Amino acid sequence: MNSFGRFATLAASAEGAFSVADVTRRARYLIEAGFDRVWVRGEITGFKAYQSGHWYFTLRDRQAQVRCVMWRSDNLGLTAPQEGTEVFVEARPTVWEERGEFRLVVRQLVPTDASGLWQLRLEQARAALERDGLLDPARKRRLPAYPMRLAIVTSVDGAALRDMVSIIGRRWPAVEVLVVPARVQGEEAEGDLLRALNLVNRIPDLDLVIVGRGGGSREDLWAFNSEKVARAVAAVRVPTISAVGHETDVSLTDLVADHRAPTPSAAAEAAVPDRREVLRAVGVLAGRLGHGLRRRIELGRERLERTADRLGDAMDDQIKRRKHRLATLAAALDALSPLKVLERGYAVARDESGAVLSRMAQFPAGQKFRLTLRDGEVGAESLGAVK
Amino acid sequence: MSGSSFKEELERLEAIVRQLEQEDLDLDRALALFEEGVARLKAARELLQKSELTVKRVLEAADGTLGTDPLDL
């Protein structure tokens, strides 16, 4: 900058001496121009939070120290760090001219313990997902009651897949399991998961997707905290279950999926019903079906018998035939053992189209019809009303 | 059969049973419902009898088409 050049020339002799303000301002310009934002690691000492809400502290390590300020607008929502805590700060170095003091204006501050930076990135990603409404509980879809085709996005080598397949096979073998392979840790994991989750959307007739892996260190599970992967899970067009590792940590994919399972095994249990329970429910329906028909037939019989009392014996034969017809669809019931509600030996008369013939008028002499018996059908012909 | 159609199958069966139980139906109608119920029960049971889980690996060909391979674990 020209003005600095001119200052420098001016200040090269006592006549052109800088004012203190000039030199500190120049130092500030040089420092601000010479640094971009930087991350600095150090230990906090002399922390003081003023009433204004601004924080002042010193960061130090063994060789040096630097004064820091963190404005209220940047520390809102943060807990004040303990004296002696080691932290990362993202800061802009500057010079505080009034004191001629070099210092850092801190924008972000995170503890270095284990995964401070990761934690920060995770919180930022989470906030972004929240802004876009992807964490809204109202978005969550119900899992299908009886999936017939489900996809599992995971590594084909992991124990997680074997566990899930074994549980699904035991509970609900009617389903078709489609494994979409993806590495679930390491540098390739994010790209693999994104590809797999995209591919899942092209599988026809899919009912459900499970995405996950077995337990591991926080680093191992990291791909499931990728904002991109979380968005891809949210974009899956069928209901999703996220199952990452063991109980403790919740990953971003857990937050956006329709259902969160603490482990792959739990995901498998949540994904499919237990066949034995469904069979039991179907058995109950079968029993009610048979019972319902039987009751209907008994009602018909009672009614006929009341009529018979009035009409006398002349109708006996007709009544018998009607009773038989009423009784019988039971041939079909024999295929369903719990449904043996009707005695054997009945027959149902039907016309060519299969409609049941139940009135005398439908049997003029010479009328051909079919009789359904226990073991098949026979053709028959009416001799007309019995006199 | 898709997952939703199996669900519809069971719901239809439930509806048939309720009609048979509650309504004073014409016999033809009762028999027709019963027959339909029996057929649906049979289909549901057949599906539930399947005991071998099918597991496949999804593969994407170079031209982008999807295929599957049997997967042994």
mmCIF file of all heavy atoms in Angstrom, chain A residues 369-387:
data_model
loop_
_atom_site.group_PDB
_atom_site.id
_atom_site.type_symbol
_atom_site.label_atom_id
_atom_site.label_comp_id
_atom_site.label_asym_id
_atom_site.label_seq_id
_atom_site.Cartn_x
_atom_site.Cartn_y
_atom_site.Cartn_z
ATOM 1 N N PHE A 369 -77.988 -78.306 -13.746
ATOM 2 C CA PHE A 369 -77.223 -77.515 -12.792
ATOM 3 C C PHE A 369 -76.027 -78.339 -12.311
ATOM 4 O O PHE A 369 -75.863 -79.489 -12.719
ATOM 5 C CB PHE A 369 -78.107 -77.074 -11.614
ATOM 6 C CG PHE A 369 -78.738 -78.199 -10.846
ATOM 7 C CD1 PHE A 369 -78.164 -78.646 -9.661
ATOM 8 C CD2 PHE A 369 -79.906 -78.819 -11.304
ATOM 9 C CE1 PHE A 369 -78.740 -79.677 -8.951
ATOM 10 C CE2 PHE A 369 -80.480 -79.850 -10.591
ATOM 11 C CZ PHE A 369 -79.912 -80.282 -9.423
ATOM 12 N N ARG A 370 -75.213 -77.706 -11.477
ATOM 13 C CA ARG A 370 -74.020 -78.409 -10.984
ATOM 14 C C ARG A 370 -74.133 -78.553 -9.476
ATOM 15 O O ARG A 370 -74.627 -77.668 -8.784
ATOM 16 C CB ARG A 370 -72.753 -77.596 -11.293
ATOM 17 C CG ARG A 370 -72.571 -77.411 -12.774
ATOM 18 C CD ARG A 370 -71.262 -76.727 -13.070
ATOM 19 N NE ARG A 370 -70.943 -75.699 -12.088
ATOM 20 C CZ ARG A 370 -70.142 -74.664 -12.328
ATOM 21 N NH1 ARG A 370 -69.599 -74.520 -13.518
ATOM 22 N NH2 ARG A 370 -69.889 -73.795 -11.382
ATOM 23 N N LEU A 371 -73.645 -79.704 -9.000
ATOM 24 C CA LEU A 371 -73.623 -79.902 -7.552
ATOM 25 C C LEU A 371 -72.170 -79.939 -7.095
ATOM 26 O O LEU A 371 -71.369 -80.715 -7.623
ATOM 27 C CB LEU A 371 -74.265 -81.249 -7.201
ATOM 28 C CG LEU A 371 -75.774 -81.268 -7.080
ATOM 29 C CD1 LEU A 371 -76.246 -82.693 -6.820
ATOM 30 C CD2 LEU A 371 -76.237 -80.345 -5.953
ATOM 31 N N THR A 372 -71.849 -79.070 -6.155
ATOM 32 C CA THR A 372 -70.486 -79.116 -5.593
ATOM 33 C C THR A 372 -70.509 -80.035 -4.394
ATOM 34 O O THR A 372 -71.260 -79.818 -3.440
ATOM 35 C CB THR A 372 -70.040 -77.723 -5.150
ATOM 36 O OG1 THR A 372 -70.156 -76.852 -6.274
ATOM 37 C CG2 THR A 372 -68.585 -77.741 -4.674
ATOM 38 N N LEU A 373 -69.711 -81.099 -4.464
ATOM 39 C CA LEU A 373 -69.639 -82.074 -3.381
ATOM 40 C C LEU A 373 -68.297 -81.941 -2.688
ATOM 41 O O LEU A 373 -67.450 -81.153 -3.091
ATOM 42 C CB LEU A 373 -69.808 -83.489 -3.949
ATOM 43 C CG LEU A 373 -71.086 -83.653 -4.786
ATOM 44 C CD1 LEU A 373 -71.029 -84.895 -5.621
ATOM 45 C CD2 LEU A 373 -72.314 -83.646 -3.881
ATOM 46 N N ARG A 374 -68.107 -82.758 -1.694
ATOM 47 C CA ARG A 374 -66.875 -82.728 -0.903
ATOM 48 C C ARG A 374 -65.630 -82.898 -1.776
ATOM 49 O O ARG A 374 -64.603 -82.292 -1.555
ATOM 50 C CB ARG A 374 -67.029 -83.862 0.083
ATOM 51 C CG ARG A 374 -65.904 -84.226 0.889
ATOM 52 C CD ARG A 374 -66.515 -85.209 1.847
ATOM 53 N NE ARG A 374 -65.535 -86.148 2.319
ATOM 54 C CZ ARG A 374 -65.867 -87.297 2.910
ATOM 55 N NH1 ARG A 374 -67.138 -87.635 3.010
ATOM 56 N NH2 ARG A 374 -64.936 -88.082 3.362
ATOM 57 N N ASP A 375 -65.781 -83.752 -2.810
ATOM 58 C CA ASP A 375 -64.565 -84.039 -3.573
ATOM 59 C C ASP A 375 -64.644 -83.565 -5.022
ATOM 60 O O ASP A 375 -63.847 -83.991 -5.852
ATOM 61 C CB ASP A 375 -64.273 -85.538 -3.531
ATOM 62 C CG ASP A 375 -65.483 -86.353 -3.944
ATOM 63 O OD1 ASP A 375 -66.553 -85.749 -4.165
ATOM 64 O OD2 ASP A 375 -65.363 -87.577 -4.067
ATOM 65 N N GLY A 376 -65.586 -82.727 -5.334
ATOM 66 C CA GLY A 376 -65.625 -82.229 -6.708
ATOM 67 C C GLY A 376 -67.026 -81.839 -7.126
ATOM 68 O O GLY A 376 -67.907 -81.652 -6.285
ATOM 69 N N GLU A 377 -67.218 -81.699 -8.408
ATOM 70 C CA GLU A 377 -68.494 -81.257 -8.926
ATOM 71 C C GLU A 377 -69.116 -82.317 -9.833
ATOM 72 O O GLU A 377 -68.394 -82.990 -10.565
ATOM 73 C CB GLU A 377 -68.294 -79.972 -9.762
ATOM 74 C CG GLU A 377 -68.248 -78.720 -8.915
ATOM 75 C CD GLU A 377 -68.409 -77.480 -9.760
ATOM 76 O OE1 GLU A 377 -68.024 -77.521 -10.954
ATOM 77 O OE2 GLU A 377 -68.933 -76.498 -9.239
ATOM 78 N N VAL A 378 -70.438 -82.406 -9.807
ATOM 79 C CA VAL A 378 -71.124 -83.277 -10.770
ATOM 80 C C VAL A 378 -72.226 -82.465 -11.439
ATOM 81 O O VAL A 378 -72.731 -81.495 -10.881
ATOM 82 C CB VAL A 378 -71.754 -84.517 -10.089
ATOM 83 C CG1 VAL A 378 -70.665 -85.400 -9.504
ATOM 84 C CG2 VAL A 378 -72.757 -84.109 -9.022
ATOM 85 N N GLY A 379 -72.544 -82.872 -12.659
ATOM 86 C CA GLY A 379 -73.676 -82.261 -13.355
ATOM 87 C C GLY A 379 -74.965 -82.918 -12.868
ATOM 88 O O GLY A 379 -74.952 -84.071 -12.443
ATOM 89 N N ALA A 380 -76.075 -82.177 -12.884
ATOM 90 C CA ALA A 380 -77.347 -82.752 -12.421
ATOM 91 C C ALA A 380 -78.488 -82.111 -13.212
ATOM 92 O O ALA A 380 -78.295 -81.100 -13.884
ATOM 93 C CB ALA A 380 -77.532 -82.499 -10.926
ATOM 94 N N GLU A 381 -79.633 -82.752 -13.107
ATOM 95 C CA GLU A 381 -80.778 -82.243 -13.837
ATOM 96 C C GLU A 381 -82.002 -82.347 -12.950
ATOM 97 O O GLU A 381 -82.183 -83.345 -12.242
ATOM 98 C CB GLU A 381 -80.968 -83.093 -15.106
ATOM 99 C CG GLU A 381 -82.020 -82.534 -16.031
ATOM 100 C CD GLU A 381 -82.064 -83.301 -17.346
ATOM 101 O OE1 GLU A 381 -81.013 -83.848 -17.774
ATOM 102 O OE2 GLU A 381 -83.150 -83.362 -17.933
ATOM 103 N N SER A 382 -82.796 -81.294 -12.958
ATOM 104 C CA SER A 382 -83.954 -81.279 -12.061
ATOM 105 C C SER A 382 -85.097 -82.114 -12.652
ATOM 106 O O SER A 382 -85.333 -82.117 -13.846
ATOM 107 C CB SER A 382 -84.419 -79.833 -11.873
ATOM 108 O OG SER A 382 -85.657 -79.841 -11.210
ATOM 109 N N LEU A 383 -85.814 -82.829 -11.761
ATOM 110 C CA LEU A 383 -87.017 -83.557 -12.172
ATOM 111 C C LEU A 383 -88.242 -82.689 -11.906
ATOM 112 O O LEU A 383 -89.364 -83.140 -11.981
ATOM 113 C CB LEU A 383 -87.122 -84.858 -11.378
ATOM 114 C CG LEU A 383 -85.939 -85.819 -11.606
ATOM 115 C CD1 LEU A 383 -86.074 -87.034 -10.700
ATOM 116 C CD2 LEU A 383 -85.860 -86.243 -13.052
ATOM 117 N N GLY A 384 -88.031 -81.482 -11.534
ATOM 118 C CA GLY A 384 -89.137 -80.577 -11.228
ATOM 119 C C GLY A 384 -89.514 -80.675 -9.767
ATOM 120 O O GLY A 384 -88.963 -81.479 -9.028
ATOM 121 N N ALA A 385 -90.442 -79.828 -9.369
ATOM 122 C CA ALA A 385 -90.859 -79.778 -7.970
ATOM 123 C C ALA A 385 -91.419 -81.128 -7.539
ATOM 124 O O ALA A 385 -92.086 -81.803 -8.307
ATOM 125 C CB ALA A 385 -91.929 -78.700 -7.792
ATOM 126 N N VAL A 386 -91.112 -81.501 -6.301
ATOM 127 C CA VAL A 386 -91.619 -82.772 -5.786
ATOM 128 C C VAL A 386 -93.063 -82.564 -5.339
ATOM 129 O O VAL A 386 -93.346 -81.671 -4.555
ATOM 130 C CB VAL A 386 -90.734 -83.222 -4.601
ATOM 131 C CG1 VAL A 386 -91.283 -84.497 -4.014
ATOM 132 C CG2 VAL A 386 -89.294 -83.407 -5.074
ATOM 133 N N LYS A 387 -93.918 -83.394 -5.835
ATOM 134 C CA LYS A 387 -95.338 -83.213 -5.550
ATOM 135 C C LYS A 387 -95.664 -83.666 -4.135
ATOM 136 O O LYS A 387 -95.148 -84.656 -3.667
ATOM 137 C CB LYS A 387 -96.184 -84.035 -6.545
ATOM 138 C CG LYS A 387 -95.936 -83.675 -7.990
ATOM 139 C CD LYS A 387 -96.728 -82.452 -8.379
ATOM 140 C CE LYS A 387 -96.423 -81.820 -9.703
ATOM 141 N NZ LYS A 387 -95.276 -82.074 -10.434
#
